[in-house]
Amino acid sequence: MSIYRDDTLEWITACADVLDENSHYLTKLDAAIGDGDHGINMDRGFNAVMLKIPEVADKDIGTIFKTVGMTLISTVGGAAGPLYGTFFLQAGMKSTGKMELNLEDWLLALESAVAGVVMRGKAELGDKTMVDALSPAVDSLKHSMDDHLSIGQAIQLSAEAAKQGMVDTIPWVARKGRASYLGERSAGHQDPGATSSYLILQAAADTWADS
Ligand code: ADP
Ligand code: MG
């Protein structure tokens, strides 16, 4: 089974919906250890994405993802905009010309997307950032490939791994981004970026459950 071009459009729409629904929640998390704009940033970015999508809806998956990335970079301020922009740009590079993705294609796209975030933000596992949700999701997909699971199952498991990674950030002290300015006081709070990353990957799992 495959993820087709229209499935990726559905996922982007689901991201916009879930980030809109959780905008207040993400902003509340960011208010505790940052400047309280993460939900607003993500919601603004994906609103802009939804306005751009119709222009590329008949193009290949690579063009769609790259358009999402460029739109996020140009509309979302702060740390998360360029990082999520890089995420989608890199996923788009790996999907250039493709009208469908099999599990291996999706793994390569997600792996490259997360590598882009790491390269740009220089965060390591355990620094209490979005990388702590994204990286376990990639590892989970690799295991699922080895176990010959369906795309739908593999992506659900990768979202569960992201959720665990998100929860794991709670006790940690932030070592990157604004939250790191708080030092020890950042402990005891869930990272907002790890939370938005989980929401984005869970949206993929929900959208592609039957793939
Ligand atoms: P800002 O911190 O500029 O206000 P946001 O509030 O939109 O930006 O995003 C904050 C999130 O960005 C954090 O919760 C964290 O997950 C993520 N983040 C910040 N710096 C980095 C980094 N260097 N690498 C990866 N993620 C980061
Ligand atoms: Mg912020």
Side-chain angles (χ1 to χ4, degrees), residues 30 35 37-38 41 78-80 83 121 123 129-131 176-178 191-194:
D30 194 36
D35 56 354
D37 63 354
H38 189 58
N41 287 343
L83 291 167
T129 71
M130 58 178 75
V131 172
K176 280 283 181 295
R178 278 180 201 279
D191 180 62

Side-chain angles (χ1 to χ4, degrees), residues 4-187:
Y4 294 96
R5 192 262 315 280
D6 287 358
D7 298 323
T8 65
L9 292 170
E10 251 187 75
W11 171 46
I12 300 303
T13 305
C15 289
D17 289 344
V18 83
L19 291 167
D20 181 58
E21 284 158 21
N22 287 278
S23 169
H24 183 69
Y25 169 55
L26 292 173
T27 284
K28 216 174 75 187
L29 292 174
D30 194 36
I33 56 171
D35 56 354
D37 63 354
H38 189 58
I40 297 160
N41 287 343
M42 297 303 291
D43 193 29
R44 185 196 305 124
F46 273 84
N47 277 332
V49 165
M50 290 315 290
L51 293 176
K52 268 270 179 239
I53 281 290
E55 293 172 24
V56 293
D58 61 344
K59 302 284 195 299
D60 65 287
I61 295 172
T63 302
I64 291 167
F65 285 170
K66 281 181 250 179
T67 302
V68 173
M70 286 184 299
T71 307
L72 292 178
I73 288 172
S74 62
T75 55
V76 185
L83 291 167
Y84 277 116
T86 303
F87 177 93
F88 281 98
L89 276 180
Q90 291 300 325
M93 303 284 205
K94 287 284 172 196
S95 319
T96 302
K98 289 189 196 292
M99 298 302 281
E100 60 182 277
L101 306 174
N102 61 25
L103 181 52
E104 186 176 8
D105 295 329
W106 173 246
L107 168 60
L108 291 175
L110 189 67
E111 193 170 37
S112 188
V114 176
V117 171
V118 170
M119 189 132 79
R120 183 145 194 162
K122 308 267 183 299
E124 292 174 14
L125 267 180
D127 282 353
K128 196 178 179 105
T129 71
M130 58 178 75
V131 172
D132 294 311
L134 294 173
S135 195
V138 173
D139 293 342
S140 167
L141 272 186
K142 281 185 196 157
H143 288 303
S144 294
M145 274 273 300
D146 294 342
D147 294 344
H148 307 291
L149 298 188
S150 73
I151 299 194
Q153 285 173 309
I155 291 172
Q156 179 53 40
L157 286 176
S158 76
E160 285 168 25
K163 185 176 193 179
Q164 185 59 52
M166 166 191 91
V167 170
D168 287 347
T169 65
I170 295 173
W172 294 344
V173 172
R175 289 195 293 249
K176 280 283 181 295
R178 278 180 201 279
S180 67
Y181 308 159
L182 289 183
E184 298 287 331
R185 278 185 294 139
S186 62

